[in-house]
Amino acid sequence: MVTSVALHIGSIVVRVENLERQAAFWEAALGYTRRPEPDDTSQMLVPPDGNGPNLNLDVRPAAAQVPPRIHLDLYAEDQAAEVERLVALGASRVDWNAPADADFVVLADPEGNRFCVIDKGA
């Protein structure tokens, strides 16, 4: 039985140490824009067209967990080009014993938060 749910993902929160560096990376990576904030403890990035979840960068102490319990999957029509673009912005490749036919590449943002670039062009 399917029931009606009145919820959706509004924001994804990522703990960061250097708010400006991380905001610049994710703003460029996703093409999101910064929402004005009242203080320097967080930065909300929003999709320019309003469609999709926000990304809230939050300056709070948090120990990194490897492998992470949760991560972002970013879909790309041209995976190779997007991976290279993200690396040029400051991401790094993560060696992750993935199968040879995997449709994803694991990267880390400048502070080591892992995310995947999924090949949706295939």
Side-chain angles (χ1 to χ4, degrees):
M1 178 168 94
V2 177
T3 60
S4 177
V5 177
L7 295 175
H8 68 278
I9 295 175
S11 296
I12 298 165
V13 180
V14 176
R15 302 281 189 234
V16 302
E17 294 173 12
N18 184 318
L19 186 60
E20 178 55 35
R21 177 181 64 187
Q22 290 293 89
F25 173 80
W26 285 108
E27 182 178 34
L30 299 174
Y32 277 28
T33 58
R34 297 183 197 201
R35 185 184 78 183
E37 297 294 338
D39 60 40
D40 60 357
T41 62
S42 69
Q43 178 62 65
M44 184 76 74
L45 301 175
V46 298
D49 64 3
N51 292 319
N54 301 319
L55 184 64
N56 184 24
L57 305 176
D58 188 29
V59 180
R60 300 280 187 274
Q65 182 174 348
V66 176
R69 292 182 59 133
I70 190 169
H71 67 273
L72 301 176
D73 279 350
L74 307 179
Y75 290 10
E77 291 299 321
D78 186 343
Q79 181 189 50
E82 286 301 318
V83 166
E84 292 310 313
R85 185 180 71 82
L86 293 164
V87 168
L89 290 172
S92 57
R93 296 175 185 269
V94 175
D95 183 20
W96 193 266
N97 298 319
D101 62 347
D103 67 346
F104 62 92
V105 174
V106 182
L107 299 177
D109 72 14
E111 289 190 2
N113 298 305
R114 294 180 181 190
F115 61 96
C116 293
V117 179
I118 310 297
D119 184 5
K120 295 307 283 186

